[in-house]
Amino acid sequence: MTERIVIVGGGTGGTVLTNRLTDDLAAEIDAGDVEVTLVNDTPEQTYKPAFLYVAFGKKTLAEAHRPLTDLVDTRRVDLVVDRVSGIDTENKHLTLESDDRGLDYDYLVLATGANLVPDEVPGLKEGGHHFYGPDGAERLRDALADFTEGHLVLSVIGVPHMCPAAPVEFVLMADAWFRERGLRDDIDITYTYPIQRAHGIQSIADWATDLFEERDINLETFFNAEEIDPDAKVVETMEGTELDYDLLVGIPPHAGSDLVTDAGLGDDGWVAVDKHTLEAANAEDVYAIGDVADLPTSKAGSVAHYAAGTVADRLASRVRGLVPTATYDGKTICFIESGMDEATFVEFAYGDEPAVREPSKLLHWSKLAYNESYWLTARGLI
């Protein structure tokens, strides 16, 4: 009997997993013993970390996209461009928007990512900018280009959010970018965070706080934006305070998938999983990787990458009738820009407190080199 593996989501986790499976199970696929199907609602993959650079005019949106047909081996993968509208875990069946037949599976992997929901904060959509999507990044690029004086506020509203270090990167890059243009004396920069430190990870918070002070970037902690008044240009908080701005960059709230909630796989759209095996807690033969998985670590691309490797190994064992032994230890790596030409780097796993390295030009160029070579990662080559 053919074992059917269906992967929903063609982002980092979904493509890395697909390519690992087609390599590891090539003989079984060619023999007809295994079928791998990748379902994505668009024919392209988007490399979202590029949006930070789009905002500063350092990258274009075209550089952030690649056709999925270039990233996976369509000789061994059935690529379905459609939207999954329902998951029946009891009967192991997916409902598709454009195909009444749907898809049956023996093993299901959800890699559907996170969704932006700025409407949850009144006025944010009208009064703020962000760099977490293509349209937002381009709008912010144009706004920054015209911004020559006033108060720039970066407010982290949504937690957790994708690329957890990106808001810190943004203000440090903005500081350097305005200095290069001779505008920094006319521009105040404020960074806000909802808990009583600058970042969720203590060592990164300590490092960022010192750097903010050194570079005259204002830090407001325990700052929870509740409503934005786009006419008065004021951020109103749950704590009863207000902050005026001239240009607001708000990290919007994030949400998981309604599919997850409707299928009973997890609260608030995040799939409840075993943090080591990535197996769903509420259904058999279902896994989740990447941002949609409710893991006690960052929603970062490296997490999706390493988790995909674990799931690939476990699935290969299962279809071969072996006991899966591969586990994910929470490994996460992250480059963090500290300006326009320097960066640092952190690496950690579950329970670790990462050490923040001294920023350097070498690490900055290492990050840029990885950005350029990312598509090789998605293809499973590095």
Side-chain angles (χ1 to χ4, degrees):
M1 186 177 77
T2 302
E3 300 275 18
R4 300 159 299 182
I5 302 172
V6 177
I7 302 157
V8 181
T12 298
T15 53
V16 169
L17 174 60
T18 299
N19 286 313
R20 278 289 305 273
L21 288 172
T22 53
D23 285 345
D24 295 349
L25 297 174
E28 288 87 348
I29 293 171
D30 291 345
D33 297 328
V34 175
E35 291 179 354
V36 177
T37 300
L38 175 63
V39 185
N40 198 57
D41 55 5
T42 70
E44 293 184 322
Q45 184 188 122
T46 300
Y47 182 51
K48 295 178 182 179
F51 296 149
L52 174 63
Y53 299 90
V54 170
F56 291 101
K58 300 298 184 182
K59 276 190 174 294
T60 65
L61 289 184
E63 295 176 273
H65 300 285
R66 288 287 189 284
L68 283 170
T69 51
D70 290 349
L71 301 178
V72 298
D73 184 356
T74 53
R75 296 170 302 170
R76 291 193 171 111
V77 178
D78 184 11
L79 177 60
V80 176
V81 179
D82 205 336
R83 183 179 293 274
V84 175
S85 55
I87 303 172
D88 181 347
T89 59
E90 183 175 348
N91 294 302
K92 295 188 172 182
H93 181 78
L94 303 180
T95 304
L96 301 177
E97 282 191 354
S98 303
D99 188 341
D100 292 338
R101 296 170 299 173
L103 281 172
D104 294 322
Y105 67 85
D106 295 294
Y107 302 100
L108 173 65
V109 184
L110 297 177
T112 50
N115 302 299
L116 305 182
V117 284
D119 289 337
E120 289 189 359
V121 179
L124 178 59
K125 202 169 183 179
E126 299 80 11
H129 294 269
H130 68 81
F131 53 88
Y132 275 68
D135 295 340
E138 284 199 322
R139 286 183 61 242
L140 178 56
R141 178 199 61 199
D142 296 342
L144 282 172
D146 288 336
F147 193 66
T148 57
E149 61 179 359
H151 189 193
L152 169 65
V153 173
L154 181 291
S155 185
V156 178
I157 301 171
V159 178
H161 56 79
M162 295 178 282
C163 299
V168 172
E169 291 184 284
F170 177 83
V171 292
L172 294 174
M173 291 172 70
D175 168 71
W177 193 66
F178 288 129
R179 290 182 192 278
E180 289 174 0
R181 298 168 63 205
L183 299 172
R184 187 61 174 89
D185 289 344
D186 297 317
I187 294 174
D188 292 322
I189 300 176
T190 296
Y191 170 98
T192 81
Y193 202 73
I195 62 175
Q196 289 183 311
R197 58 179 187 245
H199 192 270
I201 297 175
Q202 186 67 59
S203 58
I204 295 176
D206 293 341
W207 171 79
T209 298
D210 290 343
L211 210 50
F212 289 168
E213 184 174 357
E214 177 186 318
R215 299 190 185 179
D216 197 26
I217 296 170
N218 305 311
L219 173 62
E220 295 279 350
T221 60
F222 203 57
F223 185 102
N224 289 272
E226 184 174 41
E227 185 171 351
I228 313 299
D229 185 335
D231 296 323
K233 292 190 173 182
V234 171
V235 181
E236 301 174 5
T237 74
M238 297 178 187
E239 293 77 31
T241 61
E242 294 185 348
L243 182 64
D244 297 335
Y245 68 87
D246 295 295
L247 177 61
L248 173 65
V249 181
I251 308 305
H254 287 44
S257 171
D258 290 341
L259 286 172
V260 171
T261 305
D262 294 344
L265 291 169
D267 297 332
D268 301 325
W270 312 112
V271 182
V273 296
D274 182 290
K275 70 178 183 179
H276 294 297
T277 67
L278 293 313
E279 294 173 352
N282 300 326
E284 296 290 329
D285 301 322
V286 177
Y287 300 76
I289 57 176
D291 294 347
V292 76
D294 190 7
L295 292 172
T297 190
S298 300
K299 292 192 180 300
S302 62
V303 173
H305 184 174
Y306 293 119
T310 296
V311 172
D313 288 344
R314 295 187 70 84
L315 286 174
S317 294
R318 293 193 67 180
V319 300
R320 290 170 177 155
L322 304 175
V323 176
T325 58
T327 56
Y328 174 58
D329 64 359
K331 183 176 180 180
T332 308
I333 62 173
C334 182
F335 288 98
I336 306 173
E337 297 280 20
S338 57
M340 298 305 292
D341 63 357
E342 286 190 342
T344 184
F345 176 83
V346 293
E347 181 177 1
F348 55 97
Y350 293 140
D352 291 346
E353 187 67 36
V356 183
R357 294 163 171 80
E358 183 69 24
S360 69
K361 288 181 171 58
L362 176 61
L363 287 172
H364 165 72
W365 286 106
S366 295
K367 178 169 186 177
L368 296 187
Y370 178 77
N371 287 342
E372 294 301 318
S373 62
Y374 164 75
W375 301 110
L376 298 177
T377 297
R379 291 172 60 193
L381 299 178
I382 58 174

